[in-house]
Structures are given as C-alpha cells and as structure tokens.
Amino acid sequence: MKKTLVISYTPRENSNTKKMLDFFIENNQDKTEITFVDLAEEAPDLLLKEHLNLYVNRNFGGVELSDEQQNILAKNDRMMQQLLETDFVVLACPMHNFSIPATVKAWFDAVIQSGKTFTYTDTGIKGLCKNTKALVLMTSGSDFSIEPYKSVNFATPFLMTAFNFMGISAEAINKFGMIQYADKSEQMIADAKEEIKTVSNTWY
Ligand SMILES: Cc1cc2nc3c(=O)[nH]c(=O)nc-3n(C[C@H](O)[C@H](O)[C@H](O)COP(=O)(O)O)c2cc1C
C-alpha cells in the first residue's frame, strides 16, 4: 500500500482548512497508509544557534556528530525521514500574514536537508524525492486570486518552490476569501472536496 504523509496545521476550532483535510482522509484512508503529523500540537525545532551549527557541520561539513549531538537533531531528522519514506504528502494550513504559518516554515527548515532531500551536482541543485507527489490544501481570509492581494501571496510560491526544490511535484487546492466571501465559504469547501476527489483519483 502506498504511503501518505499528512502535515497539518489547522488549530482553529471549526477550521475550514481542516474540513478539506478531513475529507481527504475520510475519502482515502482505506487506499493508503497515512502518517499524521500535527504541527499545531508539536512544532519542529527552530534552527537556533545550536541546531543550525550542528546541521551545517554535519550536512555541509561532513563532520560526524556525537550521539548526544545527533540526538539534538533527532526530532527534525525524524520528520525528514518521514518525508523520505512517503509516496505522497498532503500539507494543510491556512495563510498567515501573507505567507505560511511559522510552524509550517519550521517543518520545511527541518526536512530540506542537504545530502538527504536535495543535493548539489555539476549542473546545479537536484531534488532527491523524485517519486513523491504533494498536495497543498490552503484557505485564506481575503481573495488572493485577484489584485491587490494576488501579487503578495507569498505562501503558494514558497510552497511550490520548496517542494519542487526537493524534487517533489506539487499542486495546490486554494480556497481564498473565506472571510471576504463568508456567505460563499460552504460552497468553496464543497468545491474543494470535488477537487480533492479528482486529485485522489489520480494518486490511488
Ligand atoms: C494569525 C493569522 C494571520 C492571518 N493572516 C492572513 C493573511 O495574511 N491573509 C488572509 O487573507 N487571511 C489571513 N488570516 C485569515 C485566515 O487565513 C483565514 O481565516 C483562513 O481561512 C483560516 O483557516 P481555518 O478556517 O482553517 O482556520 C489570518 C488568520 C490568522 C489567525
């Protein structure tokens, strides 16, 4: 059975993004082995001074870390390993301040690792997760599909670039304007469910 890694940051009570994700899970849980990572309950470690230097020394400098040092990186390494071992990723989160929530960025900082999920070659950078596919489920309060907000959607370009950097082909189902078009939010979720079905059918 193919594996699916679900990365969720949907902490709000009655979260609309969670409704989309729950539908994905209900619709597919018999077809794939799901690993669920709840970034609203446990955040990856930030790359503060100690973590950053251990990571750089190990992954870029080839330094062999002691067990104790390795242990400091263990949580983030576990998250990266989950990504290396999966066939599919579903990442669900709302837009926060024109971008992704901080815990989601911390997850990318944990899993984008030189020598593991990407590497340097003579011809440039190569992603090492070539057989993995990703689906992003995102909502926002305002309508980021039109100006003046369209050009300041830093979430979607980041997410697509970060997945592609690791060799992962990614697509997004975005439902923008949940607050702006509050009267249409139910319809938007219903539309998202149809789109989720379509993507799921191509995956499993
Ligand atoms: C901390 C925070 C920051 C937000 N930043 C934005 C933003 O930059 N643009 C926007 O359109 N909506 C923003 N919103 C609104 C949410 O993206 C929107 O309500 C979303 O649909 C919430 O998803 P949920 O129902 O899954 O919680 C923000 C909400 C919060 C709580």
Side-chain angles (χ1 to χ4, degrees), residues 1-4 6 20-34 88 90 135 137 173 193 195-204:
M1 202 181 236
K2 298 269 187 193
K3 293 181 179 179
T4 303
V6 172
M20 289 160 59
L21 178 60
D22 285 349
F23 179 81
F24 176 92
I25 292 172
E26 277 160 31
N27 211 44
N28 295 304
Q29 58 195 354
D30 298 339
K31 302 177 202 149
T32 182
E33 184 188 324
I34 293 177
F88 301 101
V90 178
L135 173 65
L137 304 175
I173 297 175
K193 289 180 180 176
E195 292 168 47
I196 287 167
K197 264 194 226 165
T198 304
V199 175
S200 306
N201 289 342
T202 68
W203 281 9
Y204 309 118

Side-chain angles (χ1 to χ4, degrees), residues 9-18 93-99 139-144 149 175 177-179:
Y9 175 79
T10 56
R12 196 178 67 81
E13 278 169 31
N14 211 26
S15 160
N16 283 314
T17 322
K18 184 172 182 299
C93 66
M95 179 183 284
H96 273 183
N97 299 321
F98 310 98
S99 185
T139 63
S140 68
S142 301
D143 188 352
F144 278 73
Y149 288 125
K175 292 300 157 197
M178 286 288 167
I179 296 171

Side-chain angles (χ1 to χ4, degrees), residues 44-91:
D45 289 328
L46 293 180
L47 300 183
L48 302 182
K49 193 171 179 181
E50 185 177 44
H51 283 80
L52 187 282
N53 281 293
L54 289 173
Y55 163 63
V56 168
N57 290 343
R58 182 187 67 178
N59 291 57
F60 291 88
V63 172
E64 199 171 321
L65 302 185
S66 67
D67 287 351
E68 196 185 328
Q69 291 171 321
Q70 193 65 38
N71 228 8
I72 292 168
L73 299 182
K75 186 203 268 189
N76 287 3
D77 285 350
R78 222 169 15 249
M79 290 184 168
M80 181 206 63
Q81 199 58 36
Q82 289 172 326
L83 180 61
L84 284 176
E85 288 171 6
T86 199
D87 301 290
F88 301 101
V89 187
V90 178
L91 189 154

